[in-house]
Amino acid sequence: MKYGVVFHPDAEEEFKEAVWWYGNQQKGLGLEFVRCIDDAIQKIKRDLGLYPLEVENYRKKVVRRFPFKILYEIVEDNIFILAVFHSKRNQEQFQYRK
C-alpha cells in the first residue's frame, strides 16, 4: 500500500522555518536539510512500525545529520506528521496538536 504524507499546519511551518534558517547559515545547507527530511520520510514509508512510540500513538524518527525529529502517526492511508522539531524542544508540547 502506498501512503501519502500529510503535515499538520504547524509542522509544515516548523519545517519551512528550519529550511529558511539552515539556508541562511550556509549555501546549500537548507537543501541538504530538505533532503534529510525527505530521506527520513522515505524510511518511515518503508517500515511504518519500526520507530518507537513516543507520545500516545505518535512514533519518533530521528533525522540524519541534523538535530531534528519527526513525530508521526499512521491515519488510514496517510503518514500524518505532527511535528518536525529540534531535538532540544520538549516533545510533549506537540501532543495538544491534532
Side-chain angles (χ1 to χ4, degrees):
M1 172 183 262
K2 286 195 172 204
Y3 286 85
V5 177
V6 177
F7 281 78
H8 185 284
D10 292 339
E12 186 173 0
E13 187 62 30
E14 291 163 346
F15 174 63
K16 289 177 182 178
E17 286 175 10
V19 171
W20 177 86
W21 190 86
Y22 281 115
N24 283 308
Q25 299 308 302
Q26 179 182 342
K27 185 177 181 178
L29 196 56
L31 182 57
E32 180 61 21
F33 179 73
V34 170
R35 286 185 187 131
C36 288
I37 294 294
D38 184 57
D39 180 61
I41 291 171
Q42 294 308 313
K43 288 178 179 175
I44 291 168
K45 283 182 172 183
R46 281 193 293 273
D47 197 347
L48 299 171
L50 178 65
Y51 303 101
L53 285 171
E54 283 294 309
V55 179
E56 296 179 15
N57 294 327
Y58 291 93
R59 295 183 178 276
K60 173 185 72 177
K61 168 70 175 105
V62 176
V63 177
R64 176 185 59 85
R65 187 172 177 224
F66 292 90
F68 274 75
K69 299 175 185 179
I70 298 172
L71 281 182
Y72 72 95
E73 177 182 38
I74 306 308
V75 179
E76 297 174 5
D77 57 352
N78 289 306
I79 298 168
F80 177 71
I81 297 180
L82 181 69
V84 176
F85 67 103
H86 194 282
S87 61
K88 299 246 183 207
R89 289 179 65 190
N90 182 355
Q91 67 192 29
E92 290 179 6
Q93 71 188 28
F94 304 116
Q95 68 186 353
Y96 300 106
R97 291 182 186 174
K98 295 195 181 169

